[in-house]
Amino acid sequence: MEPIVYVALGAALAAGIAGAASSFGVGIAGAAAAGAVAEDEKNFRNALVLQGLPMTQSIYGLITLFLIALVSGILGGGFKFAETTTENIIKAAILLGAGLTVGLTGLSAIPQGIIASAGIGAVSKNPKTFTQAIIFAAMAETMAIFGLVGALILIITGVGF
Amino acid sequence: MRKVEVSTITAILDTSLAVIFTWVAYKTGQILWKYTPYSYPNARIRAMEARLFTEQKFNELAESKTLNNFIMNLEDSDYKPYLTSLPVLNSESIDRALDRALADTYELFYRILPKRSREFFKLLLEEWDVRNITSSVKAKLRGEVARDYISEIGTMVEKVKAIADAKSLEEILVILEGTEYEEPYQKLLLKEITPEEFETELYKNHYLKLSKYAATRKDEEKKILQEFVKLKIDKINLSTILRGKAHGLGADKLRDSLIPGGKVKRKTLEALANMEDVEMVLAELDSTEYSGIIREHREEILEDISAFEKAFDRYILQRMAELTRFYPLSIAVPLNYILQKESEIRKLKAVTKLIEDGAKPEIIKRVVGELP
Amino acid sequence: MFKPEEMVKIEVLSLNRYKDSILTYLHEQGVLEIREIDVDVAQKDAPNEFYRKAASYTISLSRLIEFLKLYKKQEQGGIKGFIFPELKPKRKYKYRGIENLIKEIESFLENAEPEIKNIESKISSLNTEIERLKTEIETLELLSALDIEIEYLKPTKSVEIVVGFVEKDKFLPLIEELKKALDNRIAYVSRDLKGKVFVVVALLNRDYDKANPILAKYSFERIEVPEVRGKPKEAIAELQEEIARLNKELEAAEKEAKSLAEKYHDELVFYQELMENERDKANMLSNLVRTNMTFALTGWLPKKYVPKIVEGLNKISHGKIYVNIRPPTPEELDEIPVKLKNPKFIEPFEMLTEMFGVPKYNELDPTPILAFTYSFFFGFMLTDFMYGLIIAIVAALLIMGHKKLNDGVYRFSNILLWSALFTMVLGVLFGSYFGDAFQRAGINVPAMLDPMREALIVLGLALAIGLLHLFIGYTLGFIVKVKNKETVSAVLEQLPWMLIILGVVFLALSMAGFTSTLLGEVFLVPGVALFVISEFKSDLPVLMRLLMTISDFFGFIGNWLSYARLMALALATAGIAMVINIIVAMIWGIKIGPVPLGIVIGLVVFVGGHIFSTAINALGAFVHALRLHYVEFFGTFYSGDGKRFEPFKAKREVSELELEI
């Protein structure tokens, strides 16, 4: 296949999978938030903060999308790897790999949403557990962060600006 | 040469992509299917749990002195809509209102829980039918007013009321026509079985239904529901044996009343039924999972078997609470809530009755404290 | 700083007649944590009749308050009410013993309670009546489908009328069976309504018992026919008039309730607070012991309050008191309550430490370090001057509004303000003002580092900071343990990692050509050796020990790499800000005719986008900075197993006690 396909796929999958996962995560937590608020409106603020946590993965995806677009020249100038040479294919593959890393580690938004959902439940029973619930949900994000760091190293050392 | 290399790279890329994506999609779908449906109910029920009455609240209620104050004390609670328009103010009408509240809780759970497990709450509601039918039939046979024995909750409240009001035993058969209770009742009318056997038969059928439903679920749901049903079956079996022994019944009489499907094995149950007296049964039970209950409440149980039932109810509550901690997004949460709610309503009913009888607050507090 | 407040044990023995005033004095001072006395010679104290009354009055007072609160004028709500909450005035009360207080409350309730209860029951009975009428109207609306006089639906001497619903598919069988059972002696009318069939059945009185079970069999739902006259439509109109009249009455009653709320609410709250404090004292009594004449109590007290408390106690009991003060013994180590002690500007951060758990009495209080590193990490992850400025302004406003309350919001805002200051400083260093907004607008700002383009340098920086943070943690743990004479554990648990970290640092420096490789190896080799020894000292099976060694080693690596989030979140902030700026730049130039529409929309997107970005990134920075401390940093040395100091303290929000000394 042409290199452009891989580069575009990498960018799309980074933002796409991470974004989809984030929306699932936020959705699951959102259902819990709706349940908590249906019983007591005072739960709104706590539930809102917890519901927002799985959103970060989509941000990482978006950043990766922009980075891939920048280094491959899609943003600002022309596409750099248009020719089907081995070197270009390799570079395109690296970008695909970086995008996939962020996209797949971005799937951590789903379990994070599940943790946040259980957290919203716990917090609406006992508001004092709020901080603990946040920390628990934040644990799941570590993988996405590792993914982003890995992808950055791949992009900058493997392809470069 | 160059051409080949490129195609090899792309081929490897494409295959790994396909494999990764299939796996990821499968796993993601599985996780989503498992947890998403419980997200809303779990949070909602947790928030409801925050509003369950504390000991402090019960102490306040115990201080009410009159039923009017009692109702006023419940103004800011979930029971308000049920209690505002009572025709008369006595413990009976309040009981009915509380039953309605409980029935609505079942109804709510049926509405918000996922399709794959909500049927269980309908089945649980049927236990009230069984309870109502057996107690009103038994009351009729004794020639008492059956209305006093029924709670207005279940899947067929209207029929139950009609049964309680029925003038003759044949009328009840007409009412039960077409339901699953028709056959055992017919046998009872033909004197093929005794009223006690009729009761056992109904409970047996009910618990078999619960067991069957639990067994056809999957994963966590199966585990939790089976644990729950098994505990319930064990409770009823063990209390049958204990009560039987307290009245000096023989093993052959007890054997027929035992319901299969509990945690305690059939063999152990038979052995228990063959014991001589309550003390021996308790000693034998020490080797089962329930040794904790037995050890803690041995003296009280020897005095009064209902202490065993209370202790067992507490144990079930405790077990389900444990399960909600293990499986926060599962059917354990609504089950645990229903148990707590039933306990709360049991206590409220006791408080109403005692207030009506003019009992002192200290006594009310003590009685409520003893209830499971 | 670093050490918790010094505590002493206090033992008090005095005459029973001073008990009430001594307890009240201590309650008002709120600096003593009372503990249970375990003595055989004396009996445990118990609340007397007045305390029991206090407990029961708290309940009746809270009932009255709950009702009146519904009718109280709404206090200032919204954002202004949140930032600048109103301070409630404190009313003074001259305390002359619990008996007088109870009497005063009784005489107050004598008037107020019936007045309030009266209006309460009036409102509730009106509401009940309105509800009843509404249900009747609902029934009548059903009946209006038939349009017959309501009287005809009432049973007479010989005819019974049954009104209700039955499911559609059961309707015909029901009628069939009824006809059969009653030899056709029935008459009925029916209408399809709401997916069911609405039926009125008339039958002979004597047939009723036969019909009843059949009706039940088909799950016939009966409805009560209301006691009204005429056609349903006329009756509805009448009932609606009645409801309107009742509503007017309700309004009048509610107005009355409002004036009662005006009159009594604040006073009730005042008395409730007094009563709650009495109840608090009553609950404490079981920790005391007494004889016929004397009583004794014991507890923990911060040393700095000793002179003041001893003097106060002497004054109150006219010198008829025995007070013993002594430092804690080593056996009591686990008993001593811990109160953190820090300078004013670090104090708010104690909240973060306490959320995890306070240290033991002989351990170190990490708050001063946490205060600095937490704010720094927050700043590093947000790194934007403007975002920092926004947060700083909000935090400063909250601090101003909540200063007097000294509540959770105040402390939290203080933390936020410090964090925002760090954010601004780091924002300047990274040259980030709303991301790259200035650069895009063509204004050049000085910057040391670009988090997007030089991400790898930022990553290195983050990992170096992480290594330093972990090293500080291990070193602190080492020092505390050596001081507490747990040298073995210090050498085995903390020292190996300190050596390994030093080794890694020197190796890295040698690669850059600063030091020789040897120096790194000097630290690294004994460090690894010590680590392996400590792992193999456990009593697990050998294979498990091997696995644990590997897992602990990678646990350390994981903890370290976790600091990469510093860079990831910094990058996330810069990234989102950049995306917003790119979008704004794209729509900036759009014009429709002469109207510069792009500028208007662009401004909206710019402001809205950056506010959103501030919120979401600040949330991320807050959460992850906290996590780095709780999980990674505290994991190196901190247990948080201490007992928190919980003084016996009166709650005074609307009242103030004047005690006669």
Side-chain angles (χ1 to χ4, degrees):
Chain A
M1 270 187 272
E2 303 283 310
I4 180 72
V5 178
Y6 288 122
V7 174
L9 254 184
L13 289 178
I17 301 180
S22 272
S23 64
F24 275 126
V26 173
I28 296 172
V37 175
E39 286 302 321
D40 192 344
E41 287 164 27
K42 279 205 283 296
N43 292 325
F44 174 69
R45 216 179 307 167
N46 290 346
L48 187 73
V49 172
L50 277 165
Q51 194 203 345
L53 289 180
M55 214 144 50
T56 17
Q57 279 84 345
S58 68
I59 293 174
Y60 301 152
L62 193 65
I63 289 168
T64 316
L65 176 127
F66 267 84
L67 269 176
I68 292 176
L70 271 179
V71 296
S72 63
I74 295 176
L75 258 185
F79 184 57
K80 289 181 197 160
F81 319 123
E83 247 176 275
T84 318
T85 58
T86 312
E87 200 196 332
N88 278 353
I89 286 273
I90 288 173
K91 282 194 170 164
I94 288 174
L95 290 181
L96 171 64
L100 260 187
T101 314
V102 171
L104 292 182
T105 51
L107 284 173
S108 63
I110 295 173
Q112 193 173 21
I114 293 167
I115 303 171
S117 162
I120 290 172
V123 169
S124 44
K125 187 179 173 188
N126 177 8
K128 277 188 198 141
T129 56
F130 180 56
T131 327
Q132 284 92 325
I134 283 191
I135 296 289
F136 291 145
M139 295 301 275
E141 205 172 305
T142 309
M143 299 49 166
I145 287 170
F146 287 168
L148 177 64
V149 172
L152 271 175
I153 295 173
L154 273 182
I155 293 174
I156 293 172
T157 54
V159 183
F161 283 101
Chain B
M1 197 60 203
R2 183 167 276 183
K3 209 83 190 149
V4 178
E5 272 175 23
V6 171
S7 68
T8 326
I9 296 172
T10 52
I12 291 172
L13 281 176
D14 296 345
T15 356
S16 47
L17 267 186
V19 171
I20 291 172
F21 273 91
T22 327
W23 183 77
V24 162
Y26 172 70
K27 273 287 166 199
T28 311
Q30 210 180 23
I31 289 178
L32 285 173
W33 185 82
K34 190 165 164 193
Y35 293 110
T36 313
Y38 283 110
S39 186
Y40 177 87
N42 168 59
R44 187 156 178 190
I45 294 165
R46 291 289 184 175
M48 284 159 74
E49 267 178 30
R51 283 205 307 276
L52 284 171
F53 291 168
T54 53
E55 204 185 315
Q56 165 79 12
K57 180 77 185 176
F58 275 111
N59 286 345
E60 274 181 49
L61 289 170
E63 301 268 359
S64 301
K65 293 195 190 80
T66 63
L67 285 183
N68 202 11
N69 283 342
F70 174 80
I71 301 271
M72 292 237 183
N73 268 333
L74 290 174
E75 284 265 284
D76 56 344
S77 72
D78 293 352
Y79 297 106
K80 189 187 174 196
Y82 303 96
L83 293 169
T84 41
S85 53
L86 289 179
V88 277
L89 205 59
N90 55 26
S91 64
E92 242 170 77
S93 66
I94 294 175
D95 276 8
R96 284 191 208 302
L98 293 174
D99 283 338
R100 270 206 305 283
L102 184 59
D104 281 355
T105 311
Y106 277 105
E107 186 71 28
L108 174 73
F109 286 1
Y110 185 75
R111 239 186 13 247
I112 62 178
L113 284 172
K115 270 207 187 84
R116 59 176 192 258
S117 61
R118 66 182 186 185
E119 215 53 49
F120 193 74
F121 284 86
K122 209 142 246 179
L123 291 179
L124 281 184
L125 208 48
E126 280 179 15
E127 184 165 338
W128 289 93
D129 294 337
V130 171
R131 205 174 295 178
N132 281 331
I133 292 171
T134 52
S135 49
S136 51
V137 166
K138 275 159 78 184
K140 287 265 170 245
L141 288 171
R142 284 197 303 268
E144 290 174 30
V145 184
R147 266 272 166 150
D148 301 349
Y149 291 90
I150 61 166
S151 317
E152 285 186 27
I153 169 171
T155 59
M156 37 190 269
V157 175
E158 289 301 318
K159 286 194 187 193
V160 165
K161 275 200 238 170
I163 290 174
D165 290 340
K167 296 273 179 330
S168 69
L169 292 172
E170 283 72 24
E171 274 180 29
I172 296 178
L173 186 62
V174 178
I175 298 167
L176 287 178
E177 229 178 82
T179 67
E180 59 199 296
Y181 312 109
E182 186 189 351
E183 205 189 303
Y185 186 74
Q186 217 153 20
K187 281 199 231 160
L188 176 72
L189 273 190
L190 295 171
K191 299 246 160 50
E192 280 172 21
I193 52 175
T194 63
E196 284 72 33
E197 282 167 329
F198 170 68
E199 184 172 7
T200 318
E201 177 94 11
L202 255 51
Y203 273 105
K204 213 186 238 172
N205 290 343
H206 173 68
Y207 282 112
L208 282 177
K209 245 165 107 181
L210 286 183
S211 295
K212 216 162 113 195
Y213 185 78
T216 51
R217 297 306 99 190
K218 276 187 196 133
D219 305 333
E220 276 171 32
E221 273 160 19
K222 181 171 175 178
K223 203 171 161 226
I224 295 163
L225 290 178
Q226 279 191 327
E227 171 84 12
F228 178 76
V229 175
K230 282 182 176 180
L231 281 171
K232 282 211 130 195
I233 293 176
D234 277 351
K235 180 197 159 192
I236 205 163
N237 277 342
L238 295 179
S239 72
T240 313
I241 293 177
L242 283 169
R243 278 184 189 285
K245 287 300 151 196
H247 289 101
L249 287 185
D252 46 331
K253 284 230 170 175
L254 285 173
R255 206 168 291 141
D256 297 333
S257 327
L258 298 177
I259 299 167
K263 275 187 176 179
V264 180
K265 288 196 190 73
R266 183 78 200 170
K267 227 164 60 193
T268 323
L269 280 178
E270 299 253 347
L272 288 172
N274 277 320
M275 293 289 149
E276 240 158 64
D277 55 13
V278 176
E279 219 159 319
M280 298 277 285
V281 175
L282 290 185
E284 187 67 25
L285 273 178
D286 208 38
S287 60
T288 63
E289 174 182 349
Y290 309 120
S291 57
I293 309 176
I294 306 297
R295 263 178 227 160
E296 203 176 319
H297 300 279
R298 193 166 173 280
E299 308 302 318
E300 301 150 55
I301 296 171
L302 284 176
E303 232 167 71
D304 183 3
I305 307 291
S306 67
F308 172 79
E309 279 151 9
K310 280 180 192 166
F312 207 101
D313 278 334
R314 268 200 207 103
Y315 179 74
I316 297 181
L317 262 169
Q318 185 196 326
R319 267 302 287 156
M320 292 325 284
E322 270 167 34
L323 285 178
T324 57
R325 285 197 286 278
F326 273 120
Y327 309 105
L329 288 170
S330 72
I331 194 152
V333 176
L335 270 182
N336 182 43
Y337 182 83
I338 274 286
L339 287 177
Q340 285 178 322
K341 185 89 177 173
E342 278 180 3
S343 149
E344 178 175 300
I345 284 180
R346 198 154 45 219
K347 287 176 182 170
L348 284 176
K349 283 182 178 174
V351 174
T352 349
K353 190 92 195 90
L354 288 166
I355 289 176
E356 196 177 46
D357 294 347
K360 282 211 180 85
E362 289 76 47
I363 296 177
I364 302 180
K365 281 177 203 169
R366 209 197 60 225
V367 171
V368 168
E370 280 171 6
L371 282 175
Chain C
M1 250 188 1
F2 290 110
K3 271 183 83 65
E5 191 81 58
E6 209 175 329
M7 289 279 167
V8 290
K9 184 127 192 190
I10 181 170
E11 286 156 343
V12 178
L13 185 82
S14 184
L15 297 178
N16 268 335
R17 65 181 142 125
Y18 298 119
K19 185 166 64 190
D20 190 19
S21 37
I22 284 177
L23 262 185
T24 311
Y25 170 73
L26 292 174
H27 202 215
E28 292 309 311
Q29 295 298 322
V31 291
L32 176 69
E33 180 172 333
I34 295 183
R35 288 286 172 85
E36 200 174 345
I37 308 188
D38 209 14
V39 191
D40 293 331
V41 288
Q43 66 183 107
K44 287 225 173 328
D45 208 340
N48 63 16
E49 158 207 10
F50 292 106
Y51 284 117
R52 278 207 297 276
K53 272 192 179 164
S56 114
Y57 284 137
T58 41
I59 294 169
S60 40
L61 282 169
S62 70
R63 281 269 315 111
L64 296 176
I65 291 167
E66 255 164 49
F67 169 70
L68 287 186
K69 208 161 64 190
L70 296 176
Y71 298 98
K72 212 184 158 245
K73 247 202 324 222
Q74 278 304 309
E75 275 166 35
Q76 199 177 37
I79 292 178
K80 204 179 163 205
F82 177 67
I83 297 180
F84 295 106
E86 240 177 280
L87 278 178
K88 288 176 194 153
K90 284 187 182 175
R91 198 171 132 183
K92 288 199 167 106
Y93 178 79
K94 208 165 174 70
Y95 190 78
R96 283 181 306 269
I98 183 170
E99 292 161 49
N100 285 317
L101 176 56
I102 293 281
K103 267 178 206 151
E104 193 181 323
I105 284 182
E106 274 171 352
S107 73
F108 166 71
L109 280 180
E110 209 175 330
N111 292 320
E113 196 171 9
E115 229 179 302
I116 298 167
K117 283 257 158 109
N118 193 8
I119 204 76
E120 185 181 4
S121 62
K122 196 166 164 190
I123 287 177
S124 101
S125 68
L126 280 171
N127 273 327
T128 319
E129 184 63 13
I130 291 173
E131 276 311 306
R132 192 184 63 83
L133 291 177
K134 278 187 184 155
T135 37
E136 281 197 353
I137 289 181
E138 267 170 40
T139 325
L140 286 171
E141 266 162 7
L142 293 178
L143 293 176
S144 67
L146 294 175
D147 198 38
I148 42 175
E149 300 265 335
I150 301 293
E151 280 104 295
Y152 295 151
L153 296 176
K154 294 277 163 197
T156 64
K157 245 185 222 164
S158 53
V159 179
E160 190 69 42
I161 313 264
V162 189
V163 187
F165 284 99
V166 71
E167 308 235 328
K168 253 184 190 159
D169 53 335
K170 289 186 183 158
F171 173 62
L172 282 178
L174 168 71
I175 296 295
E176 281 306 307
E177 196 163 339
L178 277 176
K179 275 184 181 164
K180 213 164 87 191
L182 309 179
D183 300 327
N184 277 335
R185 286 191 302 270
I186 64 159
Y188 68 92
V189 261
S190 66
R191 289 278 184 286
D192 277 3
L193 217 60
K194 293 182 184 169
K196 289 182 175 177
V197 182
F198 177 66
V199 206
V200 177
V201 185
L203 39 86
L204 291 178
N205 237 343
R206 60 184 159 96
D207 286 337
Y208 182 68
D209 284 344
K210 269 190 215 160
N212 205 20
I214 298 170
L215 288 169
K217 180 181 162 189
Y218 289 97
S219 309
F220 186 83
E221 298 165 38
R222 282 166 206 244
I223 50 177
E224 291 286 320
V225 179
E227 297 287 336
V228 287
R229 290 176 173 282
K231 293 256 176 77
K233 287 225 171 93
E234 299 156 21
I236 288 174
E238 246 170 66
L239 289 182
Q240 260 155 357
E241 255 170 53
E242 179 75 7
I243 287 179
R245 194 182 61 76
L246 288 176
N247 269 332
K248 248 184 214 145
E249 252 181 71
L250 189 65
E251 244 168 63
E254 277 173 348
K255 213 169 165 189
E256 215 173 313
K258 270 182 196 145
S259 75
L260 278 184
E262 190 81 13
K263 190 169 155 196
Y264 287 127
H265 180 269
D266 292 347
E267 204 165 2
L268 283 168
V269 171
F270 168 72
Y271 280 124
Q272 188 197 26
E273 190 168 291
L274 293 180
M275 279 295 97
E276 268 172 4
N277 282 320
E278 292 305 320
R279 190 165 71 171
D280 200 24
K281 277 189 254 172
N283 289 339
M284 198 43 75
L285 284 177
S286 57
N287 288 331
L288 273 52
V289 291
R290 68 184 180 96
T291 64
N292 277 344
M293 293 290 288
T294 59
F295 79 97
L297 68 84
T298 175
W300 293 98
L301 177 74
K303 199 177 175 188
K304 63 177 178 191
Y305 295 120
V306 168
K308 191 178 162 203
I309 293 291
V310 170
E311 196 200 328
L313 286 173
N314 269 320
K315 231 182 208 171
I316 247 178
S317 59
H318 306 295
K320 296 186 186 62
I321 192 165
Y322 161 79
V323 182
N324 180 32
I325 308 257
R326 61 170 177 80
T329 61
E331 291 81 52
E332 284 172 327
L333 201 62
D334 288 339
E335 291 274 305
I336 311 169
V338 171
K339 184 174 188 280
L340 301 180
K341 185 179 74 176
N342 284 298
K344 201 91 193 125
F345 68 102
I346 292 179
E347 219 177 64
F349 289 91
E350 286 176 3
M351 190 170 126
L352 299 180
T353 311
E354 280 171 3
M355 235 156 15
F356 185 84
V358 294
K360 282 191 183 173
Y361 189 64
N362 62 353
E363 283 176 356
L364 179 127
D365 168 17
T367 312
I369 294 167
L370 180 138
F372 175 75
T373 50
Y374 182 86
S375 320
F376 177 71
F377 286 178
F378 186 97
F380 199 100
M381 291 192 244
L382 207 53
T383 40
D384 192 293
F385 180 80
M386 290 300 185
Y387 290 0
L389 195 62
I390 294 174
I391 295 173
I393 290 170
V394 173
L397 280 176
L398 282 171
I399 289 174
M400 265 155 57
H402 287 256
K403 188 157 191 174
K404 286 210 179 101
L405 285 173
N406 197 13
D407 55 355
V409 178
Y410 174 73
R411 272 171 285 163
F412 182 75
S413 315
N414 263 306
I415 296 175
L416 220 52
L417 184 61
W418 279 111
S419 308
L421 292 180
F422 273 87
T423 310
M424 284 155 69
V425 172
L426 283 156
V428 171
L429 289 181
F430 280 63
S432 181
Y433 304 83
F434 286 135
D436 54 357
F438 283 171
Q439 287 90 326
R440 264 175 210 283
I443 304 164
N444 246 335
V445 283
M448 311 225 347
L449 262 178
D450 179 356
M452 286 297 269
R453 287 186 182 269
E454 289 160 301
L456 285 188
I457 299 175
V458 182
L459 176 64
L461 206 57
L463 289 178
I465 291 167
L467 213 52
L468 180 65
H469 202 219
L470 288 173
F471 186 72
I472 292 173
Y474 284 123
T475 314
L476 289 177
F478 185 76
I479 293 171
V480 171
K481 278 189 176 163
V482 169
K483 233 175 86 192
N484 291 336
K485 309 210 167 46
E486 297 166 44
T487 320
V488 178
S489 148
V491 168
L492 287 179
E493 278 170 37
Q494 267 83 19
L495 193 60
W497 293 118
M498 289 163 67
L499 293 173
I500 289 173
I501 291 173
L502 283 177
V504 170
V505 170
F506 282 119
L507 280 183
L509 285 179
S510 76
M511 267 193 270
F514 288 111
T515 55
S516 71
T517 330
L518 189 71
L519 195 61
E521 282 166 3
V522 164
F523 284 105
L524 195 61
V525 173
V528 172
L530 257 180
F531 167 65
V532 175
I533 291 171
S534 76
E535 289 290 339
F536 271 76
K537 255 182 69 92
S538 69
D539 43 353
L540 293 165
V542 180
L543 189 68
M544 276 303 285
R545 278 186 236 171
L546 201 66
L547 285 175
M548 283 306 286
T549 313
I550 294 167
S551 110
D552 278 352
F553 182 73
F554 280 101
F556 172 78
I557 301 282
N559 277 348
W560 179 32
L561 288 184
S562 183
Y563 284 87
R565 74 186 66 228
L566 287 174
M567 166 265 193
L569 276 114
L571 191 73
T573 315
I576 300 184
M578 187 183 79
V579 172
I580 295 168
N581 293 336
I582 289 177
I583 293 171
V584 172
M586 281 197 292
I587 49 181
W588 195 259
I590 299 173
K591 273 188 186 167
I592 297 181
V595 189
L597 196 64
I599 295 181
V600 179
I601 299 174
L603 274 178
V604 171
V605 173
F606 188 77
V607 172
H610 280 297
I611 288 177
F612 167 77
S613 165
T614 311
I616 185 91
N617 284 307
L619 174 67
F622 174 77
V623 169
H624 287 284
L626 203 57
R627 182 219 133 109
L628 280 177
H629 284 89
Y630 284 180
V631 182
E632 277 82 16
F633 184 56
F634 282 176
T636 58
F637 74 106
Y638 187 64
S639 70
D641 277 342
K643 236 184 205 154
R644 214 161 125 182
F645 180 60
E646 277 161 2
F648 175 56
K649 188 176 183 179
K651 182 185 135 220
R652 297 281 171 212
E653 275 175 6
V654 295
S655 64
E656 201 181 319
L657 216 62
E658 285 183 342
L659 196 62
E660 279 177 28
I661 296 188

